[in-house]
Amino acid sequence: MAPPSDDSGPLGAAEAGAISKVLIVIAMQTEALPLVNRFRLVEAAAQESIFPKGAPWIRYHGEYKGLHIDLVWPGKDPVLGVDCVGTVSAALVTYASIRSLKPDLIINAGTAGGFKAKGAVIGDVFLASDVAFHDRRIPIPVFDMYGIGARKTFATPNILKELNLKVGKLSTGDSLDMPPHDESAILSNDATIKDMEGASVAYVADMLSTPAIFVKAVTDIADGEKPTAEEFLQNLIAVTAALDKAVTEVVDFVSGKCISDL
């Protein structure tokens, strides 16, 4: 996710001066609301919507320490009433938000499964160094690499130096469970954490030349003994508090900085 070489893209203003616009992309309402409250964001009125009619996506916005913050999440499924999790919703809301809001920086914040074999424990917060997909299997030469979609995330050495975050590779898929074929792909991706949206956010951000970082808090141990769904629900609220703290620290660090300072 290297910045473009000219000043015509979204990075131009941030490179020339301090970062002024941050977009937080988050998958679930439970993860989003603590940050909405922390940054004192307000929900955009219907007449101010930047999204197409019929899209359930939600945007909050406000000012915080010299930054304009927009927080978006894909909303609730209009029929089933559950969070619109997964790669499709995440990619769509990210694309629409970048096109309309032109952020200097994206923070994809959320919860994730972690692998104890790679040193992850519940409550850890990771900054992803790499992202890839583990469920886009296309066994044809070159198409296979496209399906995996491996890419480096935007480098933030100063954030890592300043904040107490772990670093690991992130693998993304559209299923919460981990059947053997997904597990094999995740191992091939050398992933420490897995989620359901990160790599799709990275794909869109890369396409639109917008730097993106990925802050993920571990709710469940993917290679542990407890059922994933049970452990995820058991730890979601407590781990979301750790996520809230970490994202706030990242935003505090970003305030007054240029992209090159991160």
Side-chain angles (χ1 to χ4, degrees):
M1 287 182 159
S5 58
D6 59 43
D7 289 338
S8 60
L11 280 184
E15 287 181 333
I19 297 168
S20 62
K21 294 186 290 185
V22 173
L23 171 65
I24 300 174
V25 178
I26 204 158
M28 299 180 68
Q29 185 179 38
T30 302
E31 300 165 337
L33 291 183
L35 291 171
V36 169
N37 294 330
R38 175 65 64 96
F39 298 130
R40 298 183 179 179
L41 307 179
V42 297
E43 185 172 350
Q47 63 269 25
E48 298 175 359
S49 179
I50 62 170
F51 300 133
K53 184 178 180 181
W57 313 330
I58 306 295
R59 177 174 71 99
Y60 296 89
H61 61 95
E63 306 297 321
Y64 176 82
K65 294 188 176 181
L67 296 171
H68 179 82
I69 297 178
D70 287 288
L71 184 150
V72 298
W73 67 288
K76 301 279 188 178
D77 182 89
V79 176
L80 301 175
V82 297
D83 295 276
C84 294
V85 298
T87 60
V88 174
S89 292
L92 286 169
V93 75
T94 300
Y95 179 83
S97 298
I98 294 175
R99 292 287 291 172
S100 295
L101 302 170
K102 297 178 172 54
D104 301 317
L105 176 70
I106 294 171
I107 301 172
N108 174 219
T111 54
F115 291 86
K116 65 180 180 181
K118 303 288 284 185
V121 298
I122 290 171
D124 276 348
V125 181
F126 283 86
L127 197 62
S129 60
D130 302 71
V131 296
F133 293 97
H134 57 254
D135 62 352
R136 301 202 312 182
R137 293 175 292 278
I138 313 174
I140 302 172
V142 185
F143 279 96
D144 54 356
M145 293 187 292
Y146 166 77
I148 296 168
R151 52 177 37 87
K152 289 281 186 183
T153 63
F154 187 77
T156 55
N158 293 323
I159 289 179
L160 288 174
K161 182 179 178 180
E162 182 72 19
L163 305 182
N164 187 31
L165 300 177
K166 291 189 173 183
V167 181
K169 295 181 179 181
L170 171 65
S171 193
T172 296
D174 272 306
S175 298
L176 183 66
D177 65 356
M178 189 173 64
H181 46 270
D182 281 5
E183 183 176 9
S184 176
I186 291 168
L187 289 172
S188 295
N189 289 339
D190 192 29
T192 301
I193 46 177
K194 75 177 186 77
D195 77 347
M196 297 176 66
E197 70 277 340
S200 63
V201 173
Y203 172 79
V204 176
D206 213 8
M207 179 172 62
L208 298 180
S209 300
T210 307
I213 61 177
F214 301 82
V215 183
K216 302 289 173 173
V218 176
T219 51
D220 54 276
I221 301 302
D223 54 348
E225 297 176 358
K226 291 186 177 180
T228 295
E230 176 185 321
E231 194 168 34
F232 169 77
L233 292 173
Q234 177 184 335
N235 295 316
L236 178 60
I237 300 300
V239 172
T240 295
L243 177 68
D244 171 35
K245 178 176 181 292
V247 173
T248 301
E249 290 174 349
V250 170
V251 171
D252 285 343
F253 181 88
V254 164
S255 177
K257 300 289 195 306
C258 302
I259 287 294
S260 58
D261 295 330
L262 304 186

